[in-house]
Amino acid sequence: MKKLLFCIVAGGLAYAQAPSGYYSSANGLSGASLKTALSNIITNGHQDKGYNGLWTGYKTTDIDKNYENDGSILDIYSEKPNGADPYKYTPGTNQCGTYSVEGNCYNREHLVPQSLFNEASPMVSDIHFIRATDGKVNGMRSNYPFGKVGTATFTSKNGSKLGNSTSSGYSGTVFEPIDEFKGDIARMIFYFVTRYQSKLSSFSSGNMLGSSAYPGLQTWELNVLLAWHNQDPVSQAEINRNNASYNFQGNRNPFIDNPDYVNKIWGSGSSGGGSTGGGTPSTSTCVSETFETIPSSDASTYATRNWSNSGMTWTATDARTDQTISSKAITIRNGSVQSGTSANGIGSLTVTTQLKFSGSTGTLDVQVNGTKVGTVPYNTNAVTTTLSNINISGNVSVSLVNTGSGNRVAVDNLSWTCYSGTSRQSMMASSKDQATDSQTLRIYPNPVTGQEISVKGNTSNISKAEIYDSRGKLVQTIEKPFREQGNTIRIKKLEQGVFMLKLGGTVLKFIVQ
Protein backbone atom coordinates (compact mmCIF):
# COMPACT_ATOMS: atom_id res chain seq x y z
CA MET A 1 0.00 0.00 0.00
CA LYS A 2 1.07 3.58 -0.51
CA LYS A 3 2.52 5.14 2.63
CA LEU A 4 0.44 7.67 4.54
CA LEU A 5 1.67 11.25 4.19
CA PHE A 6 2.32 13.44 7.20
CA CYS A 7 0.76 16.82 6.43
CA ILE A 8 2.28 20.09 7.61
CA VAL A 9 -0.30 22.39 9.16
CA ALA A 10 -0.34 25.59 7.10
CA GLY A 11 1.06 28.59 8.91
CA GLY A 12 2.32 26.67 11.92
CA LEU A 13 4.50 23.86 13.17
CA ALA A 14 3.46 20.22 13.22
CA TYR A 15 5.26 17.77 15.49
CA ALA A 16 5.20 13.97 15.34
CA GLN A 17 4.65 13.34 19.05
CA ALA A 18 7.70 15.24 20.25
CA PRO A 19 7.51 16.02 23.99
CA SER A 20 6.18 19.43 24.87
CA GLY A 21 8.95 22.03 24.70
CA TYR A 22 11.46 19.64 23.11
CA TYR A 23 12.32 22.16 20.38
CA SER A 24 11.61 25.39 22.26
CA SER A 25 15.24 26.55 22.20
CA ALA A 26 15.11 26.48 18.37
CA ASN A 27 12.14 28.83 18.10
CA GLY A 28 12.68 31.84 15.85
CA LEU A 29 16.01 30.66 14.46
CA SER A 30 17.10 29.89 10.91
CA GLY A 31 20.21 28.92 8.96
CA ALA A 32 23.35 27.86 10.83
CA SER A 33 21.94 29.10 14.16
CA LEU A 34 18.93 26.81 13.87
CA LYS A 35 21.15 23.88 12.89
CA THR A 36 23.33 24.43 15.96
CA ALA A 37 20.32 24.70 18.26
CA LEU A 38 18.90 21.45 16.91
CA SER A 39 22.31 19.79 17.27
CA ASN A 40 22.35 20.68 20.96
CA ILE A 41 18.78 19.43 21.43
CA ILE A 42 19.33 16.02 19.83
CA THR A 43 22.72 15.52 21.45
CA ASN A 44 21.18 15.91 24.90
CA GLY A 45 19.51 12.68 25.97
CA HIS A 46 21.22 10.55 23.31
CA GLN A 47 22.02 7.17 24.84
CA ASP A 48 24.56 5.06 22.96
CA LYS A 49 23.21 1.50 23.08
CA GLY A 50 26.20 0.05 21.27
CA TYR A 51 26.60 -1.53 17.84
CA ASN A 52 25.02 -4.85 18.85
CA GLY A 53 22.19 -2.91 20.45
CA LEU A 54 20.94 -2.07 16.96
CA TRP A 55 19.64 -5.63 16.58
CA THR A 56 17.46 -5.07 19.64
CA GLY A 57 16.38 -1.64 18.47
CA TYR A 58 15.26 -2.93 15.06
CA LYS A 59 12.62 -5.14 16.75
CA THR A 60 10.65 -1.95 17.44
CA THR A 61 12.05 0.65 15.03
CA ASP A 62 12.18 -1.24 11.73
CA ILE A 63 8.99 -3.30 11.78
CA ASP A 64 6.54 -3.10 8.85
CA LYS A 65 3.33 -1.58 10.20
CA ASN A 66 2.50 0.53 7.16
CA TYR A 67 2.75 -1.65 4.05
CA GLU A 68 2.09 -5.38 4.61
CA ASN A 69 1.71 -4.74 8.37
CA ASP A 70 2.89 -8.28 9.01
CA GLY A 71 5.60 -7.74 11.62
CA SER A 72 8.45 -8.34 9.16
CA ILE A 73 11.48 -6.05 8.78
CA LEU A 74 10.68 -2.88 6.83
CA ASP A 75 13.61 -2.83 4.41
CA ILE A 76 13.84 0.29 2.22
CA TYR A 77 15.96 -1.62 -0.31
CA SER A 78 13.40 -4.42 -0.87
CA GLU A 79 9.98 -3.01 0.08
CA LYS A 80 7.62 -2.75 -2.91
CA PRO A 81 4.94 -0.22 -1.92
CA ASN A 82 2.44 -1.25 -4.60
CA GLY A 83 3.03 -4.99 -4.81
CA ALA A 84 4.27 -8.10 -3.08
CA ASP A 85 7.72 -7.85 -1.54
CA PRO A 86 10.35 -10.13 -3.15
CA TYR A 87 11.23 -11.60 0.27
CA LYS A 88 10.55 -11.03 3.96
CA TYR A 89 12.75 -11.02 7.02
CA THR A 90 11.76 -12.12 10.52
CA PRO A 91 13.25 -9.80 13.19
CA GLY A 92 16.11 -11.53 14.98
CA THR A 93 15.90 -14.74 12.97
CA ASN A 94 17.27 -13.48 9.65
CA GLN A 95 20.14 -11.30 10.90
CA CYS A 96 23.41 -11.48 8.97
CA GLY A 97 25.77 -13.54 9.24
CA THR A 98 26.95 -13.76 5.75
CA TYR A 99 25.12 -13.30 2.48
CA SER A 100 25.69 -14.16 -1.14
CA VAL A 101 22.52 -13.10 -2.94
CA GLU A 102 19.56 -10.84 -2.30
CA GLY A 103 17.11 -12.33 0.17
CA ASN A 104 19.67 -14.16 2.36
CA CYS A 105 19.52 -11.92 5.42
CA TYR A 106 19.35 -8.35 6.72
CA ASN A 107 22.13 -6.34 8.31
CA ARG A 108 22.96 -2.80 9.44
CA GLU A 109 23.12 -0.15 6.67
CA HIS A 110 24.91 3.07 7.62
CA LEU A 111 23.41 5.67 5.27
CA VAL A 112 26.52 7.73 6.04
CA PRO A 113 29.24 5.08 5.62
CA GLN A 114 30.96 4.18 8.87
CA SER A 115 34.34 4.31 7.14
CA LEU A 116 33.93 8.10 6.93
CA PHE A 117 34.09 8.39 10.72
CA ASN A 118 36.44 5.44 11.31
CA GLU A 119 33.66 3.31 12.88
CA ALA A 120 33.80 5.49 15.99
CA SER A 121 31.12 5.81 18.65
CA PRO A 122 28.47 7.07 19.04
CA MET A 123 28.05 7.41 15.25
CA VAL A 124 28.59 3.71 14.55
CA SER A 125 25.52 2.73 16.57
CA ASP A 126 23.15 5.71 16.06
CA ILE A 127 19.86 4.12 15.02
CA HIS A 128 18.51 7.34 13.48
CA PHE A 129 20.60 6.84 10.31
CA ILE A 130 21.34 3.09 10.42
CA ARG A 131 18.61 1.01 8.78
CA ALA A 132 17.95 -2.71 8.71
CA THR A 133 18.40 -3.63 5.02
CA ASP A 134 19.13 -6.60 2.83
CA GLY A 135 22.78 -7.57 3.16
CA LYS A 136 23.46 -7.98 -0.54
CA VAL A 137 21.97 -4.61 -1.52
CA ASN A 138 23.76 -2.97 1.39
CA GLY A 139 27.01 -4.44 0.09
CA MET A 140 26.33 -3.24 -3.44
CA ARG A 141 25.57 0.28 -2.20
CA SER A 142 28.95 0.08 -0.42
CA ASN A 143 30.29 3.56 0.48
CA TYR A 144 28.84 5.40 -2.50
CA PRO A 145 26.93 8.66 -1.99
CA PHE A 146 23.26 9.02 -2.91
CA GLY A 147 22.26 10.58 -6.21
CA LYS A 148 20.42 10.22 -9.49
CA VAL A 149 21.55 7.19 -11.51
CA GLY A 150 21.96 7.38 -15.28
CA THR A 151 22.89 3.88 -16.43
CA ALA A 152 22.43 1.26 -13.72
CA THR A 153 25.09 -1.43 -13.17
CA PHE A 154 22.99 -3.05 -10.42
CA THR A 155 19.26 -2.93 -9.67
CA SER A 156 17.72 -4.50 -6.57
CA LYS A 157 14.45 -6.40 -6.66
CA ASN A 158 12.48 -3.33 -5.58
CA GLY A 159 14.18 -1.02 -8.11
CA SER A 160 16.97 0.58 -6.05
CA LYS A 161 19.89 1.29 -8.39
CA LEU A 162 23.65 1.67 -8.48
CA GLY A 163 25.30 3.43 -11.43
CA ASN A 164 26.85 6.58 -12.83
CA SER A 165 25.64 9.90 -11.46
CA THR A 166 23.55 12.30 -13.51
CA SER A 167 23.17 14.64 -10.53
CA SER A 168 24.58 18.08 -11.29
CA GLY A 169 28.03 18.61 -9.80
CA TYR A 170 29.09 14.97 -9.44
CA SER A 171 29.91 12.37 -12.09
CA GLY A 172 31.03 9.41 -9.97
CA THR A 173 29.13 6.30 -8.91
CA VAL A 174 25.98 6.86 -6.83
CA PHE A 175 23.17 4.83 -5.29
CA GLU A 176 19.53 5.76 -5.88
CA PRO A 177 16.68 4.31 -3.77
CA ILE A 178 13.12 4.10 -5.06
CA ASP A 179 11.02 7.27 -4.90
CA GLU A 180 9.10 5.96 -1.88
CA PHE A 181 12.13 6.29 0.39
CA LYS A 182 14.10 9.20 -1.07
CA GLY A 183 12.77 11.67 1.48
CA ASP A 184 13.34 9.19 4.31
CA ILE A 185 17.02 8.91 3.37
CA ALA A 186 17.41 12.67 2.96
CA ARG A 187 16.00 13.39 6.41
CA MET A 188 18.22 10.73 8.04
CA ILE A 189 21.32 12.27 6.46
CA PHE A 190 20.17 15.75 7.51
CA TYR A 191 19.93 14.31 11.03
CA PHE A 192 23.50 13.01 10.83
CA VAL A 193 25.13 16.27 9.70
CA THR A 194 23.17 18.12 12.38
CA ARG A 195 23.75 15.72 15.29
CA TYR A 196 27.49 15.44 14.49
CA GLN A 197 28.19 18.87 13.04
CA SER A 198 31.01 19.58 15.50
CA LYS A 199 32.82 16.43 14.34
CA LEU A 200 32.49 16.87 10.57
CA SER A 201 35.91 18.49 10.18
CA SER A 202 37.50 15.24 11.39
CA PHE A 203 35.45 12.95 9.10
CA SER A 204 36.27 11.93 5.54
CA SER A 205 33.92 13.43 2.97
CA GLY A 206 33.03 10.34 0.96
CA ASN A 207 32.05 12.80 -1.79
CA MET A 208 29.01 13.67 0.32
CA LEU A 209 29.91 15.30 3.66
CA GLY A 210 31.21 18.82 4.04
CA SER A 211 34.09 19.60 6.38
CA SER A 212 32.38 22.43 8.25
CA ALA A 213 29.37 22.53 10.56
CA TYR A 214 27.39 24.54 8.04
CA PRO A 215 26.13 23.55 5.59
CA GLY A 216 27.59 20.14 6.50
CA LEU A 217 27.19 18.58 3.05
CA GLN A 218 28.86 19.02 -0.30
CA THR A 219 26.81 21.31 -2.51
CA TRP A 220 25.86 18.70 -5.08
CA GLU A 221 24.71 16.20 -2.43
CA LEU A 222 22.80 18.87 -0.56
CA ASN A 223 20.91 19.77 -3.74
CA VAL A 224 19.99 16.12 -4.31
CA LEU A 225 18.74 15.64 -0.76
CA LEU A 226 16.77 18.89 -0.72
CA ALA A 227 14.98 17.77 -3.89
CA TRP A 228 14.26 14.35 -2.39
CA HIS A 229 13.00 15.89 0.85
CA ASN A 230 10.54 18.10 -1.02
CA GLN A 231 9.55 15.36 -3.46
CA ASP A 232 8.80 12.72 -0.81
CA PRO A 233 7.03 14.10 2.31
CA VAL A 234 7.24 12.57 5.77
CA SER A 235 5.30 9.30 6.02
CA GLN A 236 3.57 7.58 8.90
CA ALA A 237 6.27 4.90 8.73
CA GLU A 238 8.91 7.57 9.44
CA ILE A 239 6.87 8.96 12.32
CA ASN A 240 6.54 5.49 13.81
CA ARG A 241 10.28 4.87 13.47
CA ASN A 242 11.16 8.25 14.98
CA ASN A 243 8.98 7.60 18.02
CA ALA A 244 10.37 4.09 18.48
CA SER A 245 13.94 5.37 18.07
CA TYR A 246 13.26 8.03 20.71
CA ASN A 247 12.05 5.35 23.12
CA PHE A 248 15.12 3.24 22.35
CA GLN A 249 17.86 5.87 22.13
CA GLY A 250 16.51 8.98 23.88
CA ASN A 251 16.70 11.54 21.05
CA ARG A 252 14.70 12.40 17.96
CA ASN A 253 15.07 13.29 14.29
CA PRO A 254 13.90 16.92 14.11
CA PHE A 255 13.41 16.80 10.34
CA ILE A 256 10.69 14.19 10.76
CA ASP A 257 9.07 16.05 13.65
CA ASN A 258 9.18 19.34 11.75
CA PRO A 259 10.02 19.01 8.03
CA ASP A 260 10.03 22.80 7.67
CA TYR A 261 13.34 22.88 9.53
CA VAL A 262 15.05 21.63 6.35
CA ASN A 263 14.25 24.72 4.29
CA LYS A 264 14.76 27.02 7.28
CA ILE A 265 18.34 25.74 7.54
CA TRP A 266 19.42 25.01 3.97
CA GLY A 267 16.85 26.71 1.78
CA SER A 268 16.12 30.40 1.28
CA GLY A 269 14.12 30.17 4.51
CA SER A 270 12.83 33.03 6.55
CA SER A 271 14.82 35.71 8.31
CA GLY A 272 12.90 34.74 11.44
CA GLY A 273 11.73 38.22 12.22
CA GLY A 274 9.67 41.04 10.84
CA SER A 275 10.95 43.93 12.87
CA THR A 276 13.34 45.03 10.14
CA GLY A 277 10.51 45.27 7.61
CA GLY A 278 10.88 46.32 4.04
CA GLY A 279 10.65 42.86 2.39
CA THR A 280 14.40 42.46 1.84
CA PRO A 281 14.69 38.85 0.69
CA SER A 282 16.55 36.40 2.91
CA THR A 283 19.82 35.08 1.49
CA SER A 284 21.75 31.89 2.04
CA THR A 285 25.43 31.08 1.92
CA CYS A 286 26.46 29.55 -1.40
CA VAL A 287 30.19 29.04 -0.78
CA SER A 288 32.23 29.16 2.42
CA GLU A 289 35.98 28.54 2.51
CA THR A 290 37.96 28.50 5.78
CA PHE A 291 41.23 27.27 4.19
CA GLU A 292 41.52 24.45 6.72
CA THR A 293 42.23 21.93 3.93
CA ILE A 294 44.97 23.83 2.09
CA PRO A 295 48.09 21.72 1.35
CA SER A 296 50.83 21.90 3.98
CA SER A 297 53.87 20.70 2.04
CA ASP A 298 56.64 23.30 1.57
CA ALA A 299 54.42 25.70 3.46
CA SER A 300 56.81 28.67 3.41
CA THR A 301 57.50 28.39 -0.33
CA TYR A 302 55.57 30.51 -2.84
CA ALA A 303 53.98 28.15 -5.34
CA THR A 304 50.69 27.23 -7.00
CA ARG A 305 48.40 25.49 -4.51
CA ASN A 306 45.35 23.38 -5.39
CA TRP A 307 42.80 21.92 -3.01
CA SER A 308 39.09 21.18 -2.67
CA ASN A 309 36.52 21.59 0.08
CA SER A 310 32.79 20.77 0.22
CA GLY A 311 32.68 20.09 -3.50
CA MET A 312 34.45 23.32 -4.51
CA THR A 313 37.92 23.36 -6.10
CA TRP A 314 40.38 26.18 -5.38
CA THR A 315 43.64 27.41 -6.87
CA ALA A 316 46.07 29.93 -5.37
CA THR A 317 49.08 31.18 -7.35
CA ASP A 318 52.34 32.53 -5.91
CA ALA A 319 51.02 31.46 -2.53
CA ARG A 320 52.31 30.10 0.77
CA THR A 321 50.38 28.25 3.48
CA ASP A 322 52.25 28.81 6.75
CA GLN A 323 50.50 32.01 7.88
CA THR A 324 47.34 32.28 10.00
CA ILE A 325 44.58 34.72 10.80
CA SER A 326 41.80 33.01 12.78
CA SER A 327 43.37 29.66 11.93
CA LYS A 328 44.86 28.52 8.62
CA ALA A 329 45.01 31.12 5.85
CA ILE A 330 46.33 31.32 2.29
CA THR A 331 48.93 34.05 1.67
CA ILE A 332 49.39 35.42 -1.85
CA ARG A 333 52.24 37.61 -3.10
CA ASN A 334 51.89 38.46 -6.80
CA GLY A 335 49.15 35.92 -7.40
CA SER A 336 45.50 35.24 -6.72
CA VAL A 337 43.01 32.96 -4.98
CA GLN A 338 40.42 31.59 -7.39
CA SER A 339 37.41 29.38 -6.84
CA GLY A 340 35.95 26.78 -9.13
CA THR A 341 32.48 27.37 -10.55
CA SER A 342 29.40 27.80 -8.37
CA ALA A 343 26.05 27.42 -10.10
CA ASN A 344 23.94 29.73 -7.93
CA GLY A 345 25.44 33.12 -8.64
CA ILE A 346 26.71 35.61 -6.07
CA GLY A 347 24.94 38.22 -4.00
CA SER A 348 27.42 39.59 -1.44
CA LEU A 349 30.98 38.54 -0.61
CA THR A 350 32.72 38.55 2.78
CA VAL A 351 36.43 37.95 3.41
CA THR A 352 39.09 38.56 6.07
CA THR A 353 42.52 39.89 5.02
CA GLN A 354 45.80 40.80 6.74
CA LEU A 355 49.16 42.14 5.56
CA LYS A 356 52.00 39.83 6.57
CA PHE A 357 55.70 40.64 7.01
CA SER A 358 56.65 44.10 5.66
CA GLY A 359 54.86 46.28 3.13
CA SER A 360 52.17 48.93 2.95
CA THR A 361 48.39 48.98 3.09
CA GLY A 362 46.52 48.29 -0.12
CA THR A 363 43.63 46.47 -1.73
CA LEU A 364 42.92 43.17 -3.48
CA ASP A 365 40.78 43.17 -6.62
CA VAL A 366 37.63 41.05 -6.44
CA GLN A 367 36.76 39.52 -9.80
CA VAL A 368 33.73 37.50 -10.86
CA ASN A 369 34.22 35.51 -14.06
CA GLY A 370 37.33 37.60 -14.75
CA THR A 371 35.61 41.00 -14.38
CA LYS A 372 36.49 43.31 -11.51
CA VAL A 373 33.48 43.99 -9.25
CA GLY A 374 35.21 45.78 -6.36
CA THR A 375 38.17 45.76 -3.97
CA VAL A 376 38.83 44.67 -0.39
CA PRO A 377 41.38 46.48 1.78
CA TYR A 378 44.21 44.99 3.84
CA ASN A 379 46.57 46.31 6.50
CA THR A 380 48.59 44.92 9.40
CA ASN A 381 45.40 44.17 11.35
CA ALA A 382 42.93 41.43 10.45
CA VAL A 383 40.15 43.20 8.53
CA THR A 384 36.81 41.62 7.59
CA THR A 385 35.10 43.26 4.61
CA THR A 386 31.74 42.65 2.95
CA LEU A 387 31.05 43.67 -0.66
CA SER A 388 27.29 43.97 -0.95
CA ASN A 389 25.02 43.90 -3.99
CA ILE A 390 27.37 42.20 -6.43
CA ASN A 391 24.26 40.36 -7.68
CA ILE A 392 25.47 38.23 -10.58
CA SER A 393 23.37 35.20 -11.53
CA GLY A 394 24.26 31.88 -13.11
CA ASN A 395 27.64 30.14 -12.99
CA VAL A 396 30.31 32.20 -11.22
CA SER A 397 34.00 31.85 -10.46
CA VAL A 398 35.37 34.28 -7.87
CA SER A 399 38.97 35.53 -7.63
CA LEU A 400 40.88 37.72 -5.19
CA VAL A 401 43.85 39.18 -7.06
CA ASN A 402 46.98 40.79 -5.63
CA THR A 403 47.82 43.25 -8.40
CA GLY A 404 51.60 43.03 -8.27
CA SER A 405 52.58 45.16 -5.27
CA GLY A 406 54.72 42.41 -3.80
CA ASN A 407 52.86 42.70 -0.49
CA ARG A 408 52.22 39.34 1.18
CA VAL A 409 48.50 39.28 1.97
CA ALA A 410 46.81 36.52 3.97
CA VAL A 411 43.22 35.63 3.09
CA ASP A 412 40.82 33.75 5.39
CA ASN A 413 37.10 33.00 5.86
CA LEU A 414 36.03 33.77 2.31
CA SER A 415 32.31 33.30 1.62
CA TRP A 416 29.54 34.59 -0.56
CA THR A 417 25.78 34.44 -0.61
CA CYS A 418 23.79 33.07 -3.49
CA TYR A 419 22.26 35.46 -5.98
CA SER A 420 18.76 35.97 -4.58
CA GLY A 421 17.06 37.58 -7.59
CA THR A 422 13.35 37.87 -7.10
CA SER A 423 12.31 37.16 -3.54
CA ARG A 424 10.61 33.78 -3.34
CA GLN A 425 8.62 35.03 -0.34
CA SER A 426 7.47 38.16 -2.20
CA MET A 427 6.51 36.14 -5.23
CA MET A 428 4.50 33.65 -3.21
CA ALA A 429 2.86 36.39 -1.18
CA SER A 430 1.77 38.34 -4.23
CA SER A 431 0.43 35.22 -5.86
CA LYS A 432 -1.90 34.60 -2.92
CA ASP A 433 -3.80 37.79 -3.77
CA GLN A 434 -4.25 36.78 -7.39
CA ALA A 435 -4.53 32.98 -7.25
CA THR A 436 -7.60 32.78 -9.44
CA ASP A 437 -6.61 29.57 -11.17
CA SER A 438 -4.81 27.76 -8.34
CA GLN A 439 -7.60 25.20 -8.02
CA THR A 440 -7.78 24.46 -11.75
CA LEU A 441 -4.17 24.53 -12.94
CA ARG A 442 -1.76 21.74 -12.13
CA ILE A 443 1.43 20.25 -13.55
CA TYR A 444 1.53 16.67 -14.73
CA PRO A 445 3.43 14.50 -14.49
CA ASN A 446 5.28 15.78 -11.45
CA PRO A 447 8.28 15.21 -11.05
CA VAL A 448 9.25 16.45 -14.51
CA THR A 449 11.78 14.25 -16.29
CA GLY A 450 12.23 15.90 -19.70
CA GLN A 451 12.30 19.41 -21.12
CA GLU A 452 8.55 19.87 -21.27
CA ILE A 453 5.98 20.81 -18.66
CA SER A 454 2.35 19.85 -19.24
CA VAL A 455 -0.30 21.90 -17.46
CA LYS A 456 -3.89 20.81 -16.91
CA GLY A 457 -6.53 23.53 -16.81
CA ASN A 458 -7.56 26.65 -18.68
CA THR A 459 -4.39 28.27 -20.04
CA SER A 460 -5.97 30.36 -22.81
CA ASN A 461 -5.45 33.72 -21.05
CA ILE A 462 -1.87 33.14 -19.89
CA SER A 463 0.55 35.41 -21.76
CA LYS A 464 3.79 34.61 -19.91
CA ALA A 465 5.35 31.80 -17.90
CA GLU A 466 8.22 32.30 -15.45
CA ILE A 467 10.32 29.59 -13.80
CA TYR A 468 12.05 30.26 -10.48
CA ASP A 469 14.47 28.06 -8.57
CA SER A 470 14.05 27.19 -4.88
CA ARG A 471 15.79 30.41 -3.82
CA GLY A 472 13.45 32.58 -5.85
CA LYS A 473 15.88 33.30 -8.68
CA LEU A 474 14.25 33.71 -12.09
CA VAL A 475 15.82 31.11 -14.40
CA GLN A 476 13.59 31.25 -17.48
CA THR A 477 10.84 33.40 -19.00
CA ILE A 478 8.60 32.10 -21.80
CA GLU A 479 6.40 34.59 -23.64
CA LYS A 480 3.07 33.21 -24.92
CA PRO A 481 3.99 29.77 -23.53
CA PHE A 482 0.94 27.91 -24.84
CA ARG A 483 0.75 29.44 -28.28
CA GLU A 484 2.22 26.56 -30.27
CA GLN A 485 2.07 23.42 -28.16
CA GLY A 486 -1.37 23.42 -26.56
CA ASN A 487 -0.98 22.94 -22.81
CA THR A 488 2.72 22.05 -22.98
CA ILE A 489 5.58 24.44 -22.22
CA ARG A 490 8.99 23.77 -23.71
CA ILE A 491 11.68 24.58 -21.13
CA LYS A 492 15.46 24.66 -21.14
CA LYS A 493 17.37 21.91 -19.36
CA LEU A 494 17.17 22.43 -15.59
CA GLU A 495 19.33 20.93 -12.87
CA GLN A 496 17.78 18.44 -10.47
CA GLY A 497 15.83 20.23 -7.77
CA VAL A 498 12.66 22.07 -6.78
CA PHE A 499 11.30 24.86 -9.00
CA MET A 500 8.22 27.07 -9.25
CA LEU A 501 6.22 27.83 -12.36
CA LYS A 502 4.45 31.20 -12.26
CA LEU A 503 1.47 31.50 -14.61
CA GLY A 504 -0.24 34.83 -14.13
CA GLY A 505 -1.29 34.87 -10.49
CA THR A 506 -0.76 31.14 -9.98
CA VAL A 507 2.44 29.57 -8.66
CA LEU A 508 2.88 25.81 -9.08
CA LYS A 509 5.73 23.84 -7.54
CA PHE A 510 7.43 21.10 -9.54
CA ILE A 511 10.37 18.73 -9.17
CA VAL A 512 13.03 18.11 -11.81
CA GLN A 513 14.61 14.66 -11.62
Side-chain angles (χ1 to χ4, degrees):
M1 71 180 73
K2 180 65 180 173
K3 65 180 177 181
L4 301 175
L5 298 185
F6 169 50
C7 298
I8 305 172
V9 178
L13 302 180
Y15 296 119
Q17 301 180 26
S20 176
Y22 189 78
Y23 294 109
S24 60
S25 62
N27 291 345
L29 301 178
S30 62
S33 297
L34 174 57
K35 187 170 182 285
T36 297
L38 293 177
S39 182
N40 292 333
I41 291 168
I42 62 180
T43 298
N44 293 330
H46 180 179
Q47 305 164 29
D48 184 358
K49 296 299 184 72
Y51 192 44
N52 286 331
L54 290 169
W55 298 126
T56 301
Y58 290 154
K59 294 177 181 179
T60 57
T61 62
D62 287 46
I63 302 303
D64 187 345
K65 297 180 180 180
N66 301 92
Y67 296 90
E68 284 69 32
N69 191 21
D70 58 3
S72 65
I73 290 292
L74 175 51
D75 171 14
I76 59 177
Y77 293 165
S78 66
E79 174 63 45
K80 300 187 75 169
N82 299 312
D85 293 345
Y87 42 84
K88 296 181 185 294
Y89 289 133
T90 301
T93 302
N94 300 124
Q95 293 172 192
C96 291
T98 59
Y99 60 84
S100 57
V101 296
E102 231 186 304
N104 280 163
C105 57
Y106 72 92
N107 61 11
R108 295 161 289 194
E109 159 69 312
H110 294 74
L111 297 178
V112 176
Q114 56 183 319
S115 61
L116 303 189
F117 47 81
N118 200 29
E119 302 179 15
S121 296
M123 292 73 68
V124 74
S125 54
D126 189 333
I127 205 164
H128 277 295
F129 78 99
I130 308 173
R131 296 293 300 247
T133 67
D134 176 81
K136 174 65 174 180
V137 184
N138 183 357
M140 293 303 296
R141 185 257 159 155
S142 186
N143 295 338
Y144 296 113
F146 291 96
K148 180 71 174 175
V149 167
T151 301
T153 56
F154 168 82
T155 302
S156 78
K157 292 183 179 180
N158 83 333
S160 301
K161 297 181 290 187
L162 181 75
N164 68 297
S165 171
T166 58
S167 296
S168 177
Y170 185 69
S171 60
T173 301
V174 294
F175 189 86
E176 181 182 359
I178 63 173
D179 290 349
E180 185 80 358
F181 300 112
K182 285 179 175 173
D184 307 48
I185 286 173
R187 287 178 282 274
M188 286 186 279
I189 295 175
F190 289 147
Y191 163 88
F192 180 92
V193 298
T194 299
R195 168 64 179 87
Y196 300 108
Q197 67 170 26
S198 64
K199 298 177 180 289
L200 290 176
S201 62
S202 65
F203 295 166
S204 300
S205 76
N207 294 310
M208 62 186 296
L209 300 179
S211 61
S212 57
Y214 185 84
L217 286 159
Q218 294 196 15
T219 301
W220 81 270
E221 183 75 289
L222 177 60
N223 288 338
V224 168
L225 299 180
L226 287 174
W228 288 3
H229 166 74
N230 286 290
Q231 170 186 332
D232 175 35
V234 171
S235 67
Q236 188 61 47
E238 285 180 88
I239 295 171
N240 293 344
R241 191 179 196 278
N242 195 25
N243 291 332
S245 297
Y246 176 65
N247 291 333
F248 172 73
Q249 188 172 281
N251 67 342
R252 304 184 66 83
N253 184 333
F255 306 108
I256 295 173
D257 284 336
N258 187 353
D260 191 46
Y261 281 153
V262 172
N263 290 324
K264 283 182 178 291
I265 292 174
W266 290 284
S268 57
S270 168
S271 59
S275 58
T276 57
T280 302
S282 175
T283 57
S284 58
T285 300
C286 257
V287 174
S288 179
E289 176 54 38
T290 61
F291 301 96
E292 293 302 304
T293 62
I294 55 177
S296 57
S297 60
D298 298 322
S300 61
T301 301
Y302 291 95
T304 297
R305 312 285 182 165
N306 297 286
W307 71 97
S308 61
N309 181 25
S310 299
M312 175 64 72
T313 59
W314 295 86
T315 298
T317 58
D318 199 27
R320 59 192 294 169
T321 63
D322 61 338
Q323 299 300 299
T324 62
I325 298 182
S326 60
S327 184
K328 286 187 178 180
I330 192 78
T331 302
I332 53 177
R333 184 174 55 183
N334 293 316
S336 66
V337 180
Q338 181 173 350
S339 75
T341 299
S342 174
N344 295 306
I346 180 171
S348 301
L349 176 142
T350 300
V351 66
T352 301
T353 56
Q354 187 176 22
L355 176 66
K356 296 294 183 178
F357 311 109
S358 60
S360 57
T361 60
T363 60
L364 301 177
D365 286 353
V366 179
Q367 297 180 358
V368 177
N369 297 336
T371 300
K372 182 177 175 180
V373 296
T375 62
V376 292
Y378 60 81
N379 58 47
T380 55
N381 298 315
V383 177
T384 299
T385 304
T386 296
L387 285 182
S388 300
N389 300 317
I390 299 174
N391 294 338
I392 296 174
S393 62
N395 293 332
V396 295
S397 174
V398 175
S399 302
L400 270 64
V401 182
N402 197 346
T403 55
S405 66
N407 288 337
R408 283 69 55 91
V409 184
V411 175
D412 197 3
N413 297 325
L414 170 62
S415 65
W416 66 83
T417 60
C418 304
Y419 172 72
S420 58
T422 302
S423 167
R424 178 180 185 273
Q425 290 78 16
S426 298
M427 181 180 69
M428 294 300 288
S430 64
S431 71
K432 291 178 182 178
D433 298 331
Q434 310 172 48
T436 56
D437 296 319
S438 61
Q439 300 303 313
T440 59
L441 293 180
R442 68 182 181 90
I443 294 172
Y444 76 98
N446 197 356
V448 173
T449 56
Q451 289 181 255
E452 291 185 344
I453 298 177
S454 296
V455 179
K456 284 189 175 180
N458 182 9
T459 61
S460 59
N461 295 323
I462 295 174
S463 60
K464 181 170 68 173
E466 295 175 330
I467 297 175
Y468 294 82
D469 66 15
S470 60
R471 294 183 172 88
K473 172 191 168 186
L474 178 65
V475 295
Q476 188 176 3
T477 299
I478 306 104
E479 300 291 342
K480 298 181 179 179
F482 302 105
R483 178 177 57 185
E484 297 179 354
Q485 302 189 62
N487 277 32
T488 300
I489 304 174
R490 182 71 178 174
I491 63 172
K492 67 182 182 181
K493 185 174 178 60
L494 298 173
E495 295 180 355
Q496 184 182 40
V498 180
F499 295 85
M500 290 168 288
L501 173 65
K502 189 172 186 291
L503 301 172
T506 301
V507 177
L508 306 172
K509 184 172 76 172
F510 66 97
I511 308 291
V512 174
Q513 286 191 334

